[in-house]
Amino acid sequence: TNSTSNTYADGKVADSITNGVTTIAPSQNAVFDALALKSAGTIIVTSGTSFTTPSNITTSTIFFIELIGAGGGGAGTNSTNSTPGGGGGGYCFVKVTGLSPSTTYTCAIGTGGTGGAGGGNNNGNNGGDTTLTIGAVTHSANGGTGATCSVGFTGGAGGTAANGDLNISGQIGGDSPAISSLLIAGAGGNSHLGWGFGGNETRSGTTGKSGTGFGGGGAGGKNAAGGNGANGIIYCQYVN
């Protein structure tokens, strides 16, 4: 003989959520109110030296922070020789908790390296580093290297990164052709994950294209100035 016993809930609903209580279901309003407390937001820094946390966070808030270094400048020349492009900025990602509300942390935003002038054989300038210091640790996405003005020369190195959970170097700038009579100068290097794109290859007599977005390197010039690198950025998303 089989005996079956069934227990039925009595359908209780409350307009609140109480920890550990499983016999009363929260109402739809209670769920919506709880979700509203899980606020999220963004912090974007493109200039200055301050990264300031919002007033509505707690020390349990999770921050997902991305830093992109600036792109290096392309080389310039007043000859028919082609020149290489500048390197793309580095990328640093870090996940952080324990930050305090309304607190300012020191940062720096990398400035794009200027392209070499077209009035001679001039190297591109290095892109600046993007950094954020939290406690004793400085997270950094370094700028791309400016291109060296030379025929058949490698493009500027991509910027490195340090002290992140993920560190990715920027793309190297495009080489200058070994044959000086070729019409195209080297393109700029990209920063990674779609943050910035290097300037496109340029033809004789045209100023190198500047990097775009954040961290793109400048293209080299051919009988013209090199393109400028794009500035860096700090982009942060947080969840309470």
Side-chain angles (χ1 to χ4, degrees), residues 54-146:
S55 61
N56 64 335
I57 67 161
T58 70
T59 54
S60 298
T61 299
I62 303 172
F63 290 81
F64 304 94
I65 306 172
E66 297 175 275
L67 296 86
I68 295 88
T77 180
N78 62 353
S79 72
T80 58
N81 295 335
S82 295
T83 58
Y91 173 90
C92 176
F93 168 82
V94 61
K95 177 183 174 182
V96 178
T97 58
L99 303 187
S100 300
S102 302
T103 302
T104 297
Y105 299 87
T106 300
C107 69
I109 304 299
T111 300
T114 54
N121 294 325
N122 297 297
N123 298 338
N125 294 287
N126 296 338
D129 302 338
T130 296
T131 62
L132 174 62
T133 300
I134 299 174
V137 179
T138 297
H139 309 282
S140 62
N142 299 322
T145 302

Side-chain angles (χ1 to χ4, degrees), residues 184-195:
I184 297 177
N190 298 332
S191 56
H192 282 285
L193 302 181
W195 277 104

